[in-house]
Amino acid sequence: MHASLFLLAPLALLAPLPGGASPSSDADTALLPRVERIESAKGEALNTIDAAAVPAAQQVRIEQRVVIRIAPASSSMRPAMFAEMPQMSVPPRLTERKMGKCVPVAGIAAVRPDAGGRLLLFMRDRRLISASLEKACNARDFYSGFYVERSKDGMLCVDRDKLHSRAGANCALGRMRQLVAVSD
C-alpha cells in the first residue's frame, strides 16, 4: 500500500456516512434506557424503564504498592564498616547478639549473601546484622540484592515479610542477630 493512504485514513473517519446518519447515533441510542408508556387500569400513564437497556456500572480500584530495592554491598562499603575499629592484622572475630525481630527498611544500606543461608545486612548506623533465611532458601540467590514490599510501619520483620531476590526466589526471614566484634 502507498504511504499516502495511511495519511488519508484518519480523514476518512471524519467524513459523514452516506444517508446522513452519524456513526455515534446508533451507539448513543443503544446505551439510553427505553422508556415505555403503559396505561394502567385506572387510565393513568406509567413510565417503565427496560432494565436490560441500562448500562452496568463499572468500578475502578486504585491500589498503591511500594517496592523497595536493597542493593548489594559494594567493595568500598565493607572496609568503611570496620573503619572505627583498631587496625589488626587478623580480621575481627564476630559473634551474634540477640536483637529485636524488626529493623527499619530505610536503615539498610546494603546486603551481601553469607554462608549457611544467611544474609549480611549493612545498616546505615554502622551495625552489621545477620538475617537467616528459611530452610528451603539459598542465600546465593540474593547476590544482586533483594526487593521487599514496604509495610505500614516501615520495618522489615521476622516471620512477617518476604524477601524477593532478583533471581526469582521468595524467602521469609527466620531470625535476625546483630554481629559484634569480640576482643580477645
Side-chain angles (χ1 to χ4, degrees):
M1 295 184 92
H2 295 289
S4 60
L5 291 177
F6 290 113
L7 296 174
L8 295 176
L11 294 176
L13 294 174
L14 296 175
L17 292 175
S22 68
S24 63
S25 62
D26 294 333
D28 291 341
T29 57
L31 293 177
L32 295 176
R34 288 183 290 175
V35 177
E36 300 174 3
R37 287 183 89 68
I38 300 176
E39 295 284 331
S40 69
K42 296 180 182 177
E44 300 171 351
L46 298 175
N47 293 333
T48 62
I49 298 175
D50 186 7
V54 177
Q58 301 294 322
Q59 293 184 359
V60 176
R61 179 182 291 189
I62 299 173
E63 293 183 9
Q64 181 179 7
R65 285 182 55 192
V66 178
V67 177
I68 301 167
R69 178 175 182 238
I70 306 297
S74 66
S75 59
S76 64
M77 180 177 290
R78 284 178 283 224
M81 291 293 292
F82 299 109
E84 295 174 2
M85 295 181 170
Q87 295 297 325
M88 299 179 222
S89 60
V90 178
R93 193 173 61 123
L94 301 174
T95 185
E96 293 183 349
R97 182 187 295 169
K98 284 188 177 182
M99 60 174 284
K101 293 186 176 241
C102 298
V103 294
V105 174
I108 302 172
V111 64
R112 187 183 81 177
D114 195 26
R118 298 185 319 172
L119 297 176
L120 294 179
L121 302 177
F122 296 91
M123 304 300 288
R124 294 188 193 285
D125 59 0
R126 298 196 178 268
R127 289 185 298 158
L128 186 60
I129 295 177
S130 168
S132 299
L133 300 173
E134 57 190 4
K135 289 183 180 182
C137 290
N138 192 350
R140 288 180 289 176
D141 292 338
F142 294 88
Y143 68 94
S144 62
F146 64 88
Y147 295 106
V148 64
E149 192 165 342
R150 183 172 179 224
S151 60
K152 290 181 181 179
D153 60 357
M155 305 289 270
L156 176 67
C157 294
V158 172
D159 297 328
R160 181 185 78 176
D161 296 317
K162 281 199 168 235
L163 306 180
H164 306 280
S165 78
R166 297 188 71 194
N170 296 325
C171 298
L173 291 175
R175 69 176 191 168
M176 284 194 272
R177 298 283 190 250
Q178 182 175 355
L179 296 177
V180 292
V182 176
S183 59
D184 292 326

